[in-house]
Amino acid sequence: MGRERDEDSLVWNVFRFLEREGLLNKLFEDNIGKKATLFSWGPVEKVVYWSVDMEKMTEWEDLLKARNSIGESRSHGSEPDIIAVFKNVVVLIEAKLDSPSVTPAPSQIPTYYNDKKGIFKNDIEHVASSDGIGYELMRFFILGEALREQLGKVALVIVSITQDDLDDDLVKCVNDSVHLDSRRFYYRLTWNQLYSFIEKINEGNSVDKRILLRYLKGKTLGYSETGKLRTLLP
């Protein structure tokens, strides 16, 4: 947890605070709800971090079923950082601390990844390439759609969290590659937007809020090639 560039500790510190303070609804409704006007979010039913069902301290059974339904094995399954299940919506969140969201695809994409549900506007190879949305996001859309149907939710939302100066064209790439409609959404959040959201909230534990804001403000990412100390927030 003390590592300067540890992505998982950053995600945990921010989202466990938001979950404990009951702010996940507000975060998503304030940012994404403006686009998703055809349904209500409803209360949070479950939050899964890195595949773990924290009530049972085992891998979340519904995620294992969804992985199996798309052909993934237990040992080689897609793992979003966070899955937030609301009454009407399932949200998959992938956060990046210091790296781009578009990840390279292997030389040969496993044949069990397919587009039988008509999620993509192009073939899988193009969608998973650096000209599309990358291998990881491609898999999350397939997995997310399987989860949405399995859990009987109205909508799927995929969220990428990045630094302000990374992935500026990510939203365009997703729009060019994915059929987004009344039940399938994509949203890009930045760490700076999350900081601003937390800063403005009035409810909740003010002490924890101040600690978290100080943590985010002081978060460093090591030194640049020119010897300048880099920070998470601009």
Side-chain angles (χ1 to χ4, degrees), residues 118-228:
I119 300 170
F120 305 117
K121 296 179 179 179
N122 304 299
D123 58 71
I124 289 286
E125 287 74 20
H126 179 81
V127 172
S129 72
S130 57
D131 293 327
I133 62 176
Y135 188 53
E136 189 174 57
L137 270 178
M138 178 274 289
R139 287 156 42 213
F140 288 163
F141 271 102
I142 294 175
L143 176 65
E145 192 62 33
L147 262 176
R148 185 191 69 79
E149 290 188 356
Q150 181 179 300
L151 297 173
K153 302 303 179 184
V154 175
L156 163 69
V157 177
I158 304 290
V159 178
S160 296
I161 303 176
T162 71
Q163 284 185 270
D164 285 62
D165 57 351
L166 284 178
D167 298 321
D168 289 336
D169 61 346
L170 188 56
V171 173
K172 181 182 184 305
C173 290
V174 173
N175 275 284
D176 290 344
S177 299
V178 182
H179 290 292
L180 302 176
D181 50 33
S182 60
R183 67 180 188 186
R184 190 181 299 128
F185 296 85
Y186 176 77
Y187 199 82
R188 174 184 174 244
L189 276 173
T190 69
W191 290 110
N192 197 47
Q193 284 177 303
L194 280 168
Y195 180 91
S196 297
F197 172 79
I198 296 167
E199 187 179 38
K200 292 174 183 175
I201 58 177
N202 295 317
E203 59 265 46
N205 189 315
S206 60
V207 175
D208 285 351
K209 172 184 167 179
R210 289 198 301 270
I211 292 172
L212 182 58
L213 290 175
R214 187 168 65 244
Y215 165 79
L216 290 172
K217 200 69 174 177
K219 187 69 177 172
T220 58
L221 305 176
Y223 289 89
S224 68
E225 293 179 357
T226 60
K228 182 181 179 181

Side-chain angles (χ1 to χ4, degrees), residues 13-21 198 208-209 212:
N13 287 334
V14 171
F15 278 89
R16 275 296 281 169
F17 168 81
L18 294 174
E19 181 190 358
R20 286 198 316 268
E21 299 299 325
I198 296 167
D208 285 351
K209 172 184 167 179
L212 182 58

